[in-house]
Amino acid sequence: MASEARDPLLLEEPMLILENGEVYRNPTEIKMSQIVLPCHANHCGELSVGQLLKWMDSTACLAAERHTGCSCITASVDDIHFETTIGVGQVVNIKAKVNRAFTSSMEVGILVSCEDLFSDRQWKVCHAFATFVARRTEAGKNSDPTGFLQIHLKQVIPRTQAEQMEYSLAAERRRMRLIHAEIINDLLNSCSSQTESECLDYQDAVSAERTRVESVELVLPPHANHQVSTFGGQIMAWMENVATIAASRLCNAHPTLRTIDMFHFRGPSHIGDRLVLKAIVNNAFKKSMEVGVCAEAYQGGEPLRHINTAFMTFEVLDNDRKPRSLPRIRPEPVDGKRRYQEAIARKKIRLDRKYIISCKQSEVPLSVPWDPSNQVYLSYNNVSALKILAARTNWALTSEKNKVRLYTLEENQMLCFKVETHVAMAAEHVFLLLSDLKRRKEWDHHYQECEVIAEAHEDDTIYRVVTPSVTKGGNVQDFILLASKRHPCDSGDPYLIALRSVTLPTYPPTEDYNRGEVLCAGFSIWEEESSFTKISYYNQATPGVLPYISTDIAGLSSSFYRTFASCSTFLEENKASLASLPTSALGENSGTALAIELCCLVNLKTISCSWILCLFFSTNWACF
């Protein structure tokens, strides 16, 4: 049942009045409203997910084309989780806007809500992120072999706090898409031999071959755009159809689609193509099953072209709308076993994401357990939380001394503070010095000891930090911190160093130390002018941190001002030691990511923009 209260994501932002007196509206925003008719519904009287995907794709494409002024095609769609179903007679409201444009691709945010016209209730159905590529049909030296002209996209200019937040987070989501294949491979490599033996022990299991489905669709003019390319939403709808049939063959019931892990378009299809759609149940868990779907195209006697691959998770609901138990699956040899194990890896990703990212602070401890399989999501959450905190606009200036400013923010019963100062040196040099936490004790008296516990990744390091006692005669505190650093995605982004607490079994709390926790902290480093940098330090105060800064906020101490004056001195004194370092060595990560994107998008027939994670961002994220 839908809640009577409106979802926070559905609430309109406060109006922004422009200088000319007009109310601001995002120039790329597109809204679509559709009433669900019986022709849109399935046998249960609920809106077909395939129809919903077509509407979502059309709305997002219109937003992308409004930004670019030319035709756009769907490159990928991030994970989608459907929270509720939609019945006949209800209204589907879809809102899409471009969050950020990169070199030749752009991210479009899509929010789907349901409206009951009789009770005036609205609730969220799903939230998704799609990647679109702009193409103009002009032959010339800049066009690819398909005759499409490569377009360098204009940048999105965020105007509101929400737009700034999504603009900043889009860069982090893009980073996750680019490394998705690595995540899957790492998880598959760590699969134990026990997993393989388990799939052979089920005596009462249903053969996976029983669930196999193959269907063919002919692409006709109504299925394509004005450039005769098949609509991405139409392909999604056909894939959802065969996946539902495969799921039904396992459970002998009508399944409900809950999650789509991936829509990864590898190339286009056109009017006259025959689309071969194949689906099979990869694995059945206790109360859910994963169905793998692929779409391939051909014309005449040409070989099959791989168009799309997706993974969909279904449930079967009982009369109380609760998931019921499912029969086990027996995979076929070779490819069946591979698909079986990959489904387990993808489920692990979903569980990690749900635990680390989707939960609110009240549902999980501040310190999340760290292990190699979830380090990517912890890093993502770490940086995203800092970006969300930095995007807040209602910071209040508490005091200023010696060009060091202290700001506070009270929101959702949480106290956050920001310390801001400037230094006359290049931003990349500041980033290099501050990202090494072992050197922080040279300028911050709160860091008595700092040791590296693990180098989780080139951008992620786990430290153990010891700080002095808060009370006289009390135990000193220690923290286990994950430090995640990011280079700018482009020239308009800051360098970031994000900090949060994690839990390691090898470093449990001890009697000699009070274990403190950091919820969200870190540095945002902006180069405002050549060799002149603004440094902002953020901290979402937790019980372990608040005593150190409460007197500063109350105006009874100048401890933090002295600390950041020492920080400026430390940076100035070490500037000479970094002068010989080439700038390219400091920014190589962002350049690599850009090169990957260009390689992914240079040819329309070989588009391979991998992606992951449809994350439902709201203001509650600042509390995680």
Side-chain angles (χ1 to χ4, degrees):
M1 294 293 292
S3 172
E4 293 290 342
R6 290 179 182 248
D7 190 287
L9 280 174
L10 304 181
L11 299 177
E12 296 290 339
E13 279 192 275
M15 289 190 301
L16 173 63
I17 308 300
L18 302 176
E19 294 180 359
N20 60 7
E22 295 182 358
V23 176
Y24 169 76
R25 180 178 175 180
N26 187 296
T28 70
E29 184 177 281
I30 295 289
K31 294 182 178 180
M32 176 187 288
S33 293
Q34 298 278 357
I35 190 165
V36 179
L37 301 175
C39 61
H40 303 138
N42 58 23
H43 46 274
C44 298
E46 297 170 345
L47 174 65
S48 162
V49 173
Q51 180 62 62
L52 177 58
L53 290 170
K54 288 200 288 187
W55 286 340
M56 291 170 63
D57 181 68
S58 297
T59 310
C61 186
L62 289 173
E65 291 182 346
R66 175 173 282 185
H67 178 69
T68 61
C70 63
S71 298
C72 296
I73 58 171
T74 313
S76 67
V77 182
D78 289 6
D79 294 7
I80 307 175
H81 174 72
F82 300 97
E83 300 185 18
T84 62
T85 57
I86 304 171
V88 171
Q90 294 177 329
V91 174
V92 179
N93 295 311
I94 305 173
K95 183 166 64 175
K97 61 183 178 64
V98 178
N99 290 332
R100 184 163 184 166
F102 301 100
T103 303
S104 55
S105 67
M106 72 205 89
E107 180 190 276
V108 179
I110 310 164
L111 176 63
V112 181
S113 62
C114 185
E115 178 182 359
D116 190 313
L117 297 175
F118 298 99
S119 62
D120 195 31
R121 291 184 296 132
Q122 285 196 41
W123 58 93
K124 190 180 77 174
V125 175
C126 65
H127 192 192
F129 299 99
T131 300
F132 282 82
V133 180
R135 287 291 185 270
R136 185 178 290 125
T137 51
E138 296 179 12
K141 63 179 181 180
N142 294 325
S143 62
D144 63 23
T146 65
F148 289 101
L149 183 69
Q150 301 291 328
I151 298 174
H152 189 87
L153 299 178
K154 63 182 179 181
Q155 293 301 304
V156 171
I157 302 176
R159 301 292 296 272
T160 67
Q161 175 177 302
E163 289 178 4
Q164 178 60 51
M165 186 183 303
E166 291 294 354
Y167 178 90
S168 182
L169 291 170
E172 192 65 13
R173 287 190 288 263
R174 172 178 170 272
R175 179 178 183 272
M176 292 295 295
R177 295 178 191 118
L178 295 174
I179 63 175
H180 172 253
E182 298 177 22
I183 300 169
I184 290 290
N185 288 335
D186 289 345
L187 280 175
L188 289 176
N189 291 335
S190 64
C191 283
S192 64
S193 57
Q194 179 183 2
T195 302
E196 183 173 354
S197 62
E198 284 180 352
C199 68
L200 304 176
D201 292 339
Y202 301 152
Q203 300 298 324
D204 57 344
V206 176
S207 171
E209 279 301 309
R210 175 183 165 187
T211 69
R212 187 181 295 275
V213 180
E214 182 171 324
S215 180
V216 177
E217 297 284 352
L218 173 62
V219 180
L220 299 173
H223 304 141
N225 59 23
H226 54 285
Q227 293 186 355
V228 303
S229 294
T230 316
F231 285 115
Q234 180 62 69
I235 298 175
M236 296 179 197
W238 283 334
M239 296 175 73
E240 184 269 340
N241 177 61
V242 295
T244 301
I245 296 172
S248 300
R249 288 179 176 175
L250 175 70
C251 60
N252 295 323
H254 300 306
T256 298
L257 179 59
R258 283 301 184 205
T259 302
I260 301 176
D261 277 11
M262 183 177 292
F263 270 124
H264 177 188
F265 288 92
R266 298 181 179 273
S269 70
H270 307 286
I271 292 176
D273 276 347
R274 279 69 170 171
L275 245 63
V276 180
L277 305 152
K278 301 174 183 178
I280 191 170
V281 176
N282 291 331
N283 203 335
F285 306 101
K286 186 174 182 181
K287 294 186 177 181
S288 67
M289 71 184 95
E290 181 194 276
V291 179
V293 197
C294 76
E296 298 172 313
Y298 73 94
Q299 279 197 12
E302 70 177 20
L304 290 171
R305 309 189 312 271
H306 188 183
I307 301 297
N308 197 323
T309 298
F311 302 96
M312 305 183 185
T313 301
F314 288 85
E315 295 175 343
V316 178
L317 305 181
D318 59 21
N319 293 333
D320 296 324
R321 306 296 293 174
K322 300 293 184 182
R324 78 181 200 195
S325 298
L326 297 173
R328 294 170 171 175
I329 197 81
R330 184 174 65 254
E332 298 304 304
V334 191
D335 282 349
K337 293 179 182 178
R338 174 185 56 80
R339 290 193 298 267
Y340 185 96
Q341 292 184 339
E342 287 178 350
I344 294 173
R346 280 185 290 270
K347 184 182 179 183
K348 175 69 166 61
I349 287 176
R350 288 192 294 271
L351 292 176
D352 284 342
R353 183 179 66 237
K354 180 179 179 180
Y355 181 72
I356 297 168
I357 297 173
S358 301
C359 295
K360 299 177 182 179
Q361 179 191 349
S362 60
E363 298 170 346
V364 295
L366 301 187
S367 290
V368 176
W370 178 91
D371 65 63
S373 68
N374 71 6
Q375 69 180 47
V376 173
Y377 306 104
L378 276 174
S379 177
Y380 177 94
N381 174 255
N382 194 13
V383 174
S384 297
L386 178 61
K387 286 185 172 185
I388 291 173
L389 188 58
R392 298 294 189 213
T393 58
N394 49 339
W395 291 96
L397 178 62
T398 301
S399 55
E400 180 178 5
K401 294 180 182 178
N402 301 324
K403 298 182 179 180
V404 177
R405 296 182 176 184
L406 176 63
Y407 297 82
T408 56
L409 171 65
E410 294 185 57
E411 194 171 76
N412 298 327
Q413 299 181 331
M414 295 291 295
L415 174 65
C416 307
F417 66 90
K418 174 175 70 171
V419 183
E420 193 173 275
T421 189
H422 290 78
V423 63
M425 62 187 296
E428 62 265 32
H429 292 175
V430 175
F431 172 72
L432 187 63
L433 289 168
L434 294 184
S435 60
D436 185 0
L437 261 62
K438 298 192 303 298
R439 302 198 64 178
R440 184 161 168 175
K441 61 184 178 181
E442 296 180 34
W443 57 270
D444 188 351
H445 66 278
H446 294 104
Y447 273 51
Q448 287 186 340
E449 300 176 24
C450 184
E451 62 173 317
V452 175
I453 294 177
E455 292 282 357
H457 183 265
E458 61 182 7
D459 290 332
D460 299 290
T461 305
I462 300 177
Y463 296 88
R464 178 176 178 268
V465 176
V466 177
T467 63
S469 172
V470 179
T471 59
K472 187 175 182 180
N475 286 347
V476 296
Q477 284 200 123
D478 69 343
F479 298 80
I480 306 299
L481 298 180
L482 171 66
S484 303
K485 57 186 181 180
R486 295 289 189 272
H487 292 77
C489 182
D490 59 41
S491 58
D493 291 337
Y495 292 85
L496 291 171
I497 306 164
L499 306 171
R500 69 156 299 151
S501 287
V502 294
T503 300
L504 286 176
T506 52
Y507 285 84
T510 61
E511 294 181 357
D512 297 332
Y513 296 90
N514 290 328
R515 175 60 53 86
E517 292 187 317
V518 172
L519 178 60
C520 174
F523 294 91
S524 177
I525 303 166
W526 297 84
E527 186 160 61
E528 296 188 329
E529 300 175 11
S530 179
S531 297
F532 191 73
T533 299
K534 180 177 75 174
I535 305 171
S536 299
Y537 173 76
Y538 298 88
N539 199 307
Q540 197 163 349
T542 59
V545 175
L546 189 59
Y548 292 104
I549 52 93
S550 57
T551 53
D552 287 80
I553 294 175
L556 302 176
S557 171
S558 300
S559 173
F560 259 66
Y561 299 101
R562 292 194 299 270
T563 298
F564 278 85
S566 298
C567 178
S568 298
T569 302
F570 163 78
L571 294 171
E572 292 283 352
E573 290 176 348
N574 288 277
K575 178 166 58 175
S577 65
L578 298 173
S580 60
L581 288 178
T583 303
S584 59
L586 298 170
E588 59 184 1
N589 287 355
S590 57
T592 300
L594 177 59
I596 293 174
E597 183 192 24
L598 291 175
C599 289
C600 287
L601 302 175
V602 69
N603 190 314
L604 185 62
K605 291 199 173 195
T606 56
I607 292 176
S608 181
C609 298
S610 59
W611 51 268
I612 196 170
L613 299 171
C614 173
L615 306 172
F616 305 106
F617 293 109
S618 69
T619 52
N620 291 330
W621 266 60
C623 294
F624 185 77

